[in-house]
Amino acid sequence: MTTIDESPTPTASSGSSLVPTLAGRYYCDPDVFAAEQDRVFEQMWFCAVRSADLATAGSFRKVQIGRESVLVVRDRTGALNAFLNVCRHRGAMLCTEDAGEVTRHLRCPYHAWTYHLDGRLAAAPNLGSLTEADGTRIDRTRWGLVRVELREWLGYAWVCLADDPPSFETDVVGTVSARLGDVAAVENYGVSALSVGRRVVYDVKANWKLIVENFMECYHCATIHPELTEVLPEFADGLAAQYFVGHGALFGENVSGFTIDGGSGLDRIPGVSEEQDRRYYAITVRPNVFISLVPDHVIFHRMYPMAADRTVVECDWLYLPEVVEQNMDLRRSVELFHRVNMQDFDACERTQPAMSSRAYRTGGVLVPAEHHIGEFHSWLTSILDDA
């Protein structure tokens, strides 16, 4: 693992000049959101589900990614598969429930076309008498469900709708490595082997970019996060952990754990190094993941942008399996970041209405502590402008 530099080099300019933000329309214009669905959410690797949530054959979860409804399904070999949630007969939605479990097959409730858990067409009324246009027997693979690329990492299933998916190693693993200085730094936490101790789903009335920007910076921390800055005093100075490569914010001198009162937490995850102990690391993986690493647990956010002014955020608190199995008291541990989430999402919802104001028609400004958000804006506009 890369050694932590106590005087790290900022990833963005440390100059004193103000930098313009995106214009307000980027946060409220349905046409901009439609372009993001097309060129961002449906082209990039998108973190869909926690793999362990689909523990048995036939278990499934329906996820909205861009304009598409996607099914992630565990098949009878134990593998996870992802498909567009569309029957190949007449286009009915195959599954309308958000999650569930089927016994053997996925069956369309409209005309009873039925699919194996690996996506192949299994049966349909009068299937034996049906032929292709050229008179040959119907091709059950050709008329199976439309497959979506899927990779598993950190205990989650990441899917990509693109016809030619970008490199997972570059866009996902590489992003984490670039933030921490070495991908081994996240592997130390054994995230895939942890268990969900608590999950909270937030329905936020704000654009997804406001949430990303909020998570990336800490200029607001002294204003709205009194509990967090008690645990992580450096955040009161306005520089977020993500401002520096490889940097983790150090716990306060009298702080014992990442808890609502700074009191002792749980036993340290065995793989976490001495360098990582008593530190908080934050990572943004575009377009929809935030990862927070602390010595005894991991907080994993997934965003599902639903509209220009609405984002569903699913947050998992992940602990050692024995912590969850023994039903240990997690309330003080969970409460700290749950409160941070509520404070952050309230700020985003308070900001959203102003995005359509004439006062924000040309946008606002970034102060030096927020300059790294400018790189996020440049990244997004380069994608949207490259039509």
Side-chain angles (χ1 to χ4, degrees):
M1 175 185 161
T2 299
T3 301
I4 301 297
D5 182 356
E6 293 301 331
S7 300
T9 302
T11 59
S13 169
S14 56
S16 58
S17 60
L18 299 178
V19 173
T21 68
L22 296 173
R25 68 181 181 86
Y26 279 88
Y27 303 88
C28 57
D29 188 336
D31 290 338
V32 171
F33 184 72
E36 291 170 342
Q37 289 179 306
D38 180 36
R39 301 172 202 165
V40 179
F41 313 136
E42 296 176 17
Q43 298 299 319
M44 299 182 67
W45 288 99
F46 192 100
C47 190
V49 302
R50 180 80 180 163
S51 299
D53 288 350
L54 306 179
T56 58
S59 54
F60 69 87
R61 170 107 185 244
K62 176 169 68 72
V63 179
Q64 188 69 30
I65 302 177
R67 297 159 297 186
E68 295 285 0
S69 176
V70 176
L71 285 180
V72 182
V73 185
R74 180 81 66 182
D75 70 22
R76 307 199 75 78
T77 71
L80 284 179
N81 300 289
F83 309 103
L84 298 184
N85 185 22
V86 176
C87 179
R88 297 298 306 282
H89 171 223
R90 294 264 302 283
M93 183 175 286
L94 203 61
C95 295
T96 56
E97 304 89 349
D98 288 337
E101 187 172 331
V102 296
T103 305
R104 295 184 60 85
H105 300 100
L106 296 163
R107 184 175 183 269
C108 179
Y110 193 3
H111 297 97
W113 276 42
T114 304
Y115 302 88
H116 292 290
L117 300 179
D118 63 5
R120 291 176 298 122
L121 179 63
N126 306 315
L127 182 61
S129 64
L130 301 178
T131 62
E132 300 285 351
D134 62 3
T136 59
R137 294 180 61 183
I138 192 167
D139 185 337
R140 298 188 184 217
T141 300
R142 177 189 175 196
W143 294 107
L145 299 176
V146 175
R147 182 173 292 275
V148 173
E149 290 294 322
L150 183 148
R151 290 283 301 271
E152 292 186 75
W153 191 53
L154 302 180
Y156 287 83
W158 307 66
V159 301
C160 185
L161 277 65
D163 293 333
D164 184 17
S167 167
F168 186 86
E169 284 67 29
T170 298
D171 285 13
V172 179
V173 180
T175 294
V176 175
S177 179
R179 162 66 186 96
L180 296 179
D182 185 346
V183 73
V186 72
E187 292 172 348
N188 288 350
Y189 292 80
V191 184
S192 61
L194 301 180
S195 298
V196 177
R198 190 71 52 83
R199 173 173 292 161
V200 179
V201 179
Y202 307 88
D203 199 330
V204 187
K205 298 179 179 62
N207 185 271
W208 69 283
K209 295 186 294 299
L210 291 177
I211 299 172
V212 171
E213 294 162 7
N214 175 277
F215 186 76
M216 289 177 66
E217 56 92 358
C218 213
Y219 187 46
H220 69 279
C221 287
T223 306
I224 70 172
H225 295 319
E227 300 87 359
L228 184 63
T229 53
E230 282 292 319
V231 174
L232 304 173
E234 69 182 68
F235 277 11
D237 295 331
L239 288 180
Q242 294 188 84
Y243 197 83
F244 306 108
V245 173
H247 181 64
L250 185 64
F251 291 5
E253 184 176 346
N254 298 316
V255 170
S256 300
F258 197 74
T259 59
I260 188 63
D261 56 7
S264 297
L266 302 159
D267 290 342
R268 190 169 85 187
I269 295 169
V272 172
S273 70
E274 290 293 332
E275 289 178 328
Q276 293 169 312
D277 194 20
R278 293 182 50 78
R279 288 185 182 272
Y280 165 86
Y281 297 87
I283 310 160
T284 300
V285 184
R286 300 166 185 163
N288 78 314
V289 168
F290 309 140
I291 306 171
S292 298
L293 306 170
V294 293
D296 61 351
H297 65 282
V298 171
I299 307 159
F300 201 103
H301 291 75
R302 282 166 286 147
M303 293 192 305
Y304 302 94
M306 307 301 290
D309 58 357
R310 179 181 174 229
T311 307
V312 173
V313 182
E314 192 164 298
C315 184
D316 291 342
W317 281 259
L318 306 171
Y319 298 88
L320 290 170
E322 55 267 31
V323 168
V324 178
E325 291 164 4
Q326 295 171 22
N327 200 28
M328 292 185 182
D329 188 354
L330 304 178
R331 287 175 294 181
R332 290 166 53 252
S333 175
V334 170
E335 179 59 25
L336 176 56
F337 223 92
H338 172 60
R339 195 168 298 186
V340 169
N341 282 338
M342 295 297 288
Q343 292 160 345
D344 280 340
F345 299 153
D346 176 71
C348 292
E349 289 185 339
R350 191 164 58 247
T351 302
Q352 181 64 38
M355 295 298 96
S356 59
S357 168
R358 67 186 67 187
Y360 210 75
R361 186 173 295 159
T362 59
V365 294
L366 301 171
V367 301
E370 304 170 301
H371 278 201
H372 56 304
I373 296 175
E375 190 275 329
F376 169 63
H377 293 167
S378 297
W379 166 81
L380 180 69
T381 54
S382 68
I383 293 173
L384 299 184
D385 292 344
D386 188 23

